[in-house]
Amino acid sequence: MLRGHNKDRRPECKQVVVGKIVNEHGIAIAAPNMNGNTSDTEWNEKAIKLVKGTFGERLASITYIADSKLINLPLFQQLMEPGKRVRFISRCPANFYNKIAGKVIKQAYQDDQWIDVGKIGSGKKTCTYELQEYHRTIEGNDVWLIVVRSSAGKERYDHKLHKQQIELEKSINELSKKTFVCEADAKKEWERFEKSHKKNLYKAAVEFKEIKTEKRPVGNPGKNPKPPQVKVTWQVCAQIIGINETRAEELRNGGECFVVITNVEQSELTGEQVLRQYKDQSIVEIQFKLLKEPAIASAIFLKTPGRIDALMMLLHVSLLIRALIQYKVRKSISESKEEAPKIGWNNSRTEKPTLNLILESLQHTTFEKVGENNYRYGFYSDRERDRVMTILSLLDITIDGLLDP
């Protein structure tokens, strides 16, 4: 246990870093515990070695999918190692190999031949995707770069533009209320203003106004009135005149699009299939979310490494059991020739029930003692009975099997 970058903003605490390799069903293949200062890049290097050692001759049949921390030149060379080549799908980072991601994004906007692949995933926040495909050579290795443009990215770009416009208008309004004793001070303030807003995409024009204010003496002027005193002040008057198109285009390209990189042959998968597999990374993220819940392992009140390893092993096994239950139910539904069962929320039909849904259903049951060493399985209602019995049958579990001591 060592201190490392703590995403919960608790740098004073030591931590354990957990790595996970799972298959497409969320079933763990490897889950090592590592020091708290282990970086994502270090973990990916260990993961590649684990994958090569675990699958051996079957290496050509698997695809390693990870986020952009997988892609740097040393790791890329390990993935493309002759004789031990690992098929991978990842997000291409912006600074990789002479910023190749930005170059293909720019090329995609010039070509403007987007292929609409529709929505990927389910839920209210699901967005639509378009893509263009390019082939490039990196260090003598052929790779496939897929430029992906999402509707969510366009919304983020529009929101950022609107936000920057609002911020600049507010700052200009505050600046216009200030007064300066000389033109030099006004120009100096404008220079400071431009420097503080240099990242804003909008352009502003400025005018320095001289304001003369006459101030007459108080009281009766008399026969020989004193001349009014003239006070000169300066004001900065600015207004938005447009947008920096070059920088706006760079932001749009980076905000709307990302690049997926893979060495999978195009004859094996389509661009849409590659994107769908990349987006399925959420499977492992769900397991990490469960692992970091406060009631599970957000905080560990143990000191010795042996006990911490033992606790983490129990947690990994529990997550494995959860994944196996979910996999078994979904597999039984997919193999069934009947209509999807009514085991969803509000008694709806579902083909991919989550484990939370399954556990929620099973909580509406009781074990009741009806005699000496005799028990029965109770249900809150007939509706819950039908739902639970369906889930148990999908798991190949019978009531007699549950009650058999």
Side-chain angles (χ1 to χ4, degrees):
M1 286 186 67
L2 296 172
R3 290 182 176 86
H5 176 64
N6 192 297
K7 295 181 180 179
D8 294 327
R9 298 181 181 179
R10 296 292 303 275
E12 76 280 5
C13 296
K14 293 182 180 180
Q15 62 182 15
V16 176
V17 171
V18 176
K20 257 191 180 302
I21 303 175
V22 302
N23 66 7
E24 66 271 27
H25 304 295
I27 299 173
I29 298 171
N33 304 321
M34 296 171 289
N35 287 329
N37 61 352
T38 305
S39 67
D40 290 346
T41 302
E42 291 174 320
W43 156 239
N44 275 304
E45 185 177 0
K46 293 179 181 179
I48 292 170
K49 292 178 181 178
L50 277 171
V51 167
K52 289 181 177 181
T54 301
F55 290 93
E57 296 178 356
R58 296 177 297 151
L59 200 58
S61 64
I62 63 105
T63 303
Y64 183 63
I65 303 172
D67 62 14
S68 60
K69 293 296 184 180
L70 173 66
I71 304 300
N72 58 51
L73 203 52
L75 290 182
F76 176 79
Q77 290 170 340
Q78 288 185 37
L79 291 166
M80 304 300 291
E81 183 183 359
K84 293 183 179 180
R85 180 174 176 270
V86 179
R87 302 195 324 169
F88 71 88
I89 298 174
S90 182
R91 180 168 178 163
C92 186
N95 60 352
F96 176 64
Y97 202 69
N98 299 321
K99 300 183 178 180
I100 193 171
K103 292 177 181 178
V104 292
I105 288 175
K106 186 176 181 179
Q107 184 67 47
Y109 275 101
Q110 290 175 354
D111 296 342
D112 196 24
Q113 295 180 353
W114 300 97
I115 301 170
D116 187 2
V117 296
K119 292 184 176 181
I120 294 180
S122 58
K124 295 180 180 179
K125 296 184 179 180
T126 303
C127 55
T128 57
Y129 294 90
E130 298 173 302
L131 54 86
Q132 292 188 64
E133 304 167 11
Y134 297 91
H135 289 274
R136 295 290 186 269
T137 300
I138 297 176
E139 295 293 309
N141 299 290
D142 293 332
V143 295
W144 186 10
L145 298 169
I146 303 171
V147 181
V148 183
R149 181 168 70 178
S150 69
S151 57
K154 186 177 185 307
E155 290 172 5
R156 285 194 298 269
Y157 167 73
D158 292 339
H159 175 72
K160 192 165 186 176
L161 276 185
H162 180 66
K163 184 179 178 181
Q164 288 198 6
Q165 182 181 2
I166 299 262
E167 288 177 351
L168 188 58
E169 287 175 346
K170 182 180 178 181
S171 297
I172 287 175
N173 184 49
E174 292 175 354
L175 180 62
S176 65
K177 296 177 182 179
K178 295 180 179 180
T179 58
F180 305 91
V181 296
C182 63
E183 186 180 10
D185 286 350
K187 289 182 176 180
K188 189 174 181 180
E189 178 65 17
W190 176 249
E191 290 175 1
R192 185 203 61 78
F193 182 89
E194 282 189 313
K195 187 176 180 180
S196 63
H197 293 82
K198 64 181 179 181
K199 293 184 179 180
N200 198 291
L201 296 177
Y202 286 90
K203 297 184 292 185
V206 64
E207 180 183 357
F208 302 100
K209 281 188 177 181
E210 183 183 25
I211 302 172
K212 294 182 178 180
T213 307
E214 291 186 353
K215 184 177 181 182
R216 297 184 180 276
V218 179
N220 194 332
K223 294 181 179 180
N224 299 309
K226 294 180 181 180
Q229 294 179 353
V230 179
K231 183 180 180 182
V232 179
T233 57
W234 290 82
Q235 190 177 28
V236 180
C237 298
Q239 62 178 355
I240 296 175
I241 59 172
I243 192 170
N244 188 322
E245 296 294 343
T246 304
R247 291 186 57 206
E249 183 180 0
E250 292 175 357
L251 176 66
R252 182 193 66 184
N253 294 355
E256 285 186 346
C257 298
F258 61 92
V259 178
V260 175
I261 181 171
T262 179
N263 61 353
V264 177
E265 297 293 336
Q266 197 167 2
S267 58
E268 299 176 40
L269 294 174
T270 65
E272 179 181 351
Q273 289 172 327
V274 170
L275 177 59
R276 288 184 180 276
Q277 289 195 18
Y278 173 75
K279 297 296 289 183
D280 280 343
Q281 286 184 88
S282 58
I283 294 171
V284 68
E285 296 297 335
I286 291 172
Q287 293 211 7
F288 279 125
K289 183 180 178 181
L290 288 168
L291 197 61
K292 294 175 71 175
E293 285 184 356
I296 300 179
S298 177
I300 300 174
F301 298 96
L302 297 172
K303 292 183 178 180
T304 60
R307 290 187 176 185
I308 293 170
D309 282 336
L311 173 63
M312 297 309 297
M313 174 58 72
L314 290 174
L315 294 173
H316 291 317
V317 171
S318 68
L319 288 175
L320 176 62
I321 293 171
R322 289 174 65 99
L324 289 171
I325 292 172
Q326 179 176 282
Y327 169 70
K328 174 60 179 173
V329 171
R330 291 185 176 185
K331 185 171 183 289
S332 298
I333 293 173
S334 65
E335 292 176 349
S336 175
K337 297 180 180 179
E338 299 179 359
E339 193 176 7
K342 291 184 177 181
I343 59 174
W345 303 113
N346 299 320
N347 210 34
S348 60
R349 297 185 184 276
T350 178
E351 295 180 354
K352 291 186 176 181
T354 63
L355 187 72
N356 286 340
L357 174 65
I358 296 169
L359 294 179
E360 177 70 20
S361 302
L362 296 177
Q363 285 178 359
H364 297 161
T365 60
T366 57
F367 280 100
E368 302 171 1
K369 188 173 183 180
V370 294
E372 188 66 27
N373 295 325
N374 289 324
Y375 297 86
R376 71 179 181 187
Y377 204 45
F379 305 91
Y380 288 1
S381 65
D382 292 338
R383 177 178 171 180
E384 292 298 335
R385 176 187 175 87
D386 295 339
R387 189 175 173 186
V388 171
M389 293 299 291
T390 301
I391 291 173
L392 292 178
S393 66
L394 292 170
L395 289 168
D396 292 334
I397 296 174
T398 63
I399 294 294
D400 291 340
L402 285 173
L403 297 178
D404 187 5

